[in-house]
């Protein structure tokens, strides 16, 4: 029996892969499954669009993760009947002035050095792809292999697929302690009921025995009670504010992901247009701010002025689980039977299928597969 702490996209993806391999597991989630960062995300799967110079070590994992997505989305839909709105229209990265164009050129060169498929476009060529782009767009990079998915539909589908394959999700159940005996993780203590600050709040506490425990508690992973220092992942919350506008689904003014200098825009099949996201170091605070939302609206308007006419239908904020080097923390720890799958930062949706496969395979075989090596917590010393 494997206990997975956290029912976000990462915990659910691991659970589903274990279930497919015939390994029993229980996901313990203190709220509702999939309602953390995984609900807040934009669902972009863009290793090409987001590649940064410092992330070159991470790029092979991002690309391998991206390669799994088309089949993964189809498998999820086949297993559950849930359409996860997998879109293959690509992404446009746009420049609005000379400085932006210089930065875009730098990114384009970096992408080409990595052998990525990207095309440099003039402003006019970009507007042929997206006619509602501002006249101020002077240059763009088209990245056809950047796809996106409806992350909210994905977590709903994953929970259904996992349960359908025999997995157990215990919602409104908080892990309040990790049980370690003779240097080995043997289970967790959980408090059942509406999540509170600790187990001394009147909730019943019970122990779930486990052969292995996987910590997939997102931005909260570092603070999990009972986690020994040697296995504590250096993960912190990085806040992202976002909003959604409503387009006419039959005549959307944006049809593919657009990365502008101050906002990204992500269309959904149902007519929603997501606009994101701030990147803020404010601890566990998820307050929406006037400045955050104003900045996103301005950033969207600069790239696509027609956004101004659209109804604003939702605003929200989530907490990215961010590690010290922005790469995920995956694999076994110095405590036998204690595994980590956290720290996915801006790429947790993209990396969910590969994380699920690597961790499940690792648990079954007793060691991380080659593609996941080098991402363990020990790299932080
Ligand atoms: P979460 O989804 O946060 O799940 C962790 C779960 O653990 C939570 O449900 C929590 O309740 C539970 N938990 C915590 N402590 C306990 C406990 N003690 N006991 C029981 N349960 C516990 N990634 C992409 O790939 N593409 C994107 O476009 C993208 N856009 C983003 C936009 C925003 C605004 C944000 C905030 C993130 C975005 N991300 C994106 C990043 C992505 O959302 C995260 O990397 C990913 O969701 C992390 O998944 P997770 O399962 O680790 O965390
Ligand atoms: N990957 C997009 C974000 O984290 O905002």
């Amino acid at each position: 029996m494997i206990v997975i702490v956290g029912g976000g996209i990462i915990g659910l993806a691991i659970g589903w892969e274990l279930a497919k391999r015939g390994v029993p597991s229980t996901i313990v989630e203190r709220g509702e499954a999939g309602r953390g960062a995984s609900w807040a995300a934009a669902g972009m799967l863009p290793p090409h669009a987001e590649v940064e110079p410092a992330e070159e070590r991470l790029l092979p994992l991002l690309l391998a993760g991206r390669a799994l997505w088309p089949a993964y989305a189809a498998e999820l839909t086949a297993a559950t009947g849930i359409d996860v709105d997998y879109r293959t229209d690509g992404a446009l990265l746009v420049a609005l002035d000379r400085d932006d164009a210089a930065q875009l050129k730098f990114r384009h060169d970096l992408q080409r050095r990595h052998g990525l498929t990207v095309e440099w476009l003039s402003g006019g060529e970009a507007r042929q792809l997206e006619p509602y782009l501002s006249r101020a767009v002077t240059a763009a990079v088209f990245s056809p292999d950047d796809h996106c998915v409806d992350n909210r539909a994905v977590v709903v589908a994953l929970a259904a697929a996992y349960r359908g394959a025999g997995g157990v999700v215990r919602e409104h159940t908080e892990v309040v302690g990790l049980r370690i005996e003779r240097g080995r993780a043997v289970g967790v203590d959980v408090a059942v009921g509406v999540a509170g600050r600790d187990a001394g709040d009147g909730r019943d506490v019970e122990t779930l025995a486990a052969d292995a425990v996987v910590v997939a508690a997102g931005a909260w992973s570092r603070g999990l009670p009972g986690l020994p220092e040697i296995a504590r992942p250096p993960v912190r919350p990085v806040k992202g504010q976002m909003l959604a506008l409503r387009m006419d689904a039959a005549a959307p003014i944006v049809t593919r992901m657009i990365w502008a200098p101050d906002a990204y825009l992500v269309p959904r099949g149902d007519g929603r247009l997501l606009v994101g996201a701030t990147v803020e170091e404010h601890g566990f605070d998820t307050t929406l701010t006037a400045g955050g939302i104003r900045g996103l609206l301005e950033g969207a308007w600069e790239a696509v002025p027609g956004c101004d006419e659209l109804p604003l239908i939702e605003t929200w904020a989530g907490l990215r689980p961010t590690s010290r080097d922005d790469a995920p923390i995956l694999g076994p720890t110095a405590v036998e039977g204690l595994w980590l799958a956290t720290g996915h930062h801006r790429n947790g949706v993209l990396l969910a299928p590969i994380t699920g496969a690597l961790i499940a395979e690792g648990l079954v075989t007793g060691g991380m597969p080659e593609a996941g090596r080098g991402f363990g917590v020990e790299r932080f010393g």
Side-chain angles (χ1 to χ4, degrees), residues 42 44 46 50 240 242 259 264 276-279 320 345-347:
M44 298 180 292
E50 281 192 303
M242 285 195 63
W259 281 78
Y264 55 71
T278 63
V279 180
R320 302 175 183 89
H345 185 42
R346 306 190 75 166
N347 298 304

Side-chain angles (χ1 to χ4, degrees), residues 32-342:
E32 278 177 53
R35 294 292 177 139
S38 306
W39 198 257
M44 298 180 292
L45 312 172
H48 299 194
E50 281 192 303
V51 60
E52 301 287 347
E55 288 174 354
E56 293 180 19
R57 197 176 64 86
L58 180 58
L59 189 62
L61 187 71
L62 296 175
L63 290 171
R66 153 74 186 80
L68 297 184
W69 255 107
Y72 195 77
E75 190 187 356
L76 256 185
T77 299
T80 62
I82 296 171
D83 176 7
V84 295
D85 197 11
Y86 190 79
R87 297 172 69 114
T88 58
D89 316 85
L92 265 180
L93 292 77
V94 303
L96 294 163
D97 59 30
R98 200 185 284 251
D99 285 350
D100 297 343
Q103 276 180 26
L104 196 56
K105 183 75 180 55
F106 175 79
R107 180 174 292 270
H108 179 246
D109 290 346
L110 179 72
Q111 290 169 323
R112 287 176 60 91
R113 272 207 303 284
H114 286 295
L116 306 178
T117 306
V118 280
E119 191 183 347
W120 185 264
L121 303 180
S122 67
E125 287 167 333
R127 275 183 292 278
Q128 279 174 14
L129 289 178
E130 290 292 334
Y132 287 85
L133 274 179
S134 164
R135 304 296 304 172
V137 169
T138 52
V141 169
F142 179 48
S143 183
D145 296 335
D146 285 351
H147 298 173
C148 65
V149 71
D150 183 340
N151 43 288
R152 294 182 181 180
V154 168
V155 287
V156 171
L158 267 176
Y162 172 62
R163 287 186 169 114
V168 176
V169 186
R170 293 196 50 176
E171 295 180 314
H172 305 295
T173 304
E174 182 174 6
V175 173
V176 292
L178 184 66
R179 285 203 167 255
I180 296 177
E181 288 174 9
R182 289 186 290 281
R184 186 185 169 85
V186 295
V188 294
D189 291 334
V190 302
V192 185
V194 175
R197 208 183 291 276
D198 57 46
D201 57 6
R203 288 180 292 162
D204 291 334
V205 176
E206 67 181 88
T207 299
L208 302 182
D211 301 306
V213 175
V214 181
V215 178
W220 299 271
S221 298
R222 185 172 191 277
L224 194 71
L227 206 54
E229 201 51 44
I230 193 163
R232 195 177 291 284
V235 170
R236 67 186 193 284
V238 173
K239 175 176 162 183
Q241 302 186 49
M242 285 195 63
L243 60 93
L245 307 172
R246 167 79 63 206
M247 301 186 291
D248 178 352
I253 66 169
V254 173
T255 63
R256 53 173 57 73
M257 287 175 281
I258 295 176
W259 281 78
D262 296 321
Y264 55 71
L265 292 82
V266 185
R268 294 275 191 254
D270 62 5
R272 276 179 298 150
L273 178 62
L274 275 49
V275 180
T278 63
V279 180
E280 303 170 66
E281 303 271 359
H282 280 308
F284 288 95
D285 168 49
T286 51
T287 312
L288 290 161
T289 63
I293 297 300
R294 176 179 52 77
L296 295 175
L297 286 170
E298 271 177 14
W301 169 79
E302 279 169 6
V304 182
C307 283
D308 248 13
E309 308 296 326
L310 302 177
L312 172 62
I313 56 169
E314 193 184 343
T315 51
W316 66 93
L319 299 172
R320 302 175 183 89
T322 301
S323 74
R324 216 184 286 155
D325 61 6
D326 291 351
I329 302 172
L330 307 174
T333 67
V335 178
E336 209 183 324
L338 179 62
W339 287 58
L340 299 174
T342 185

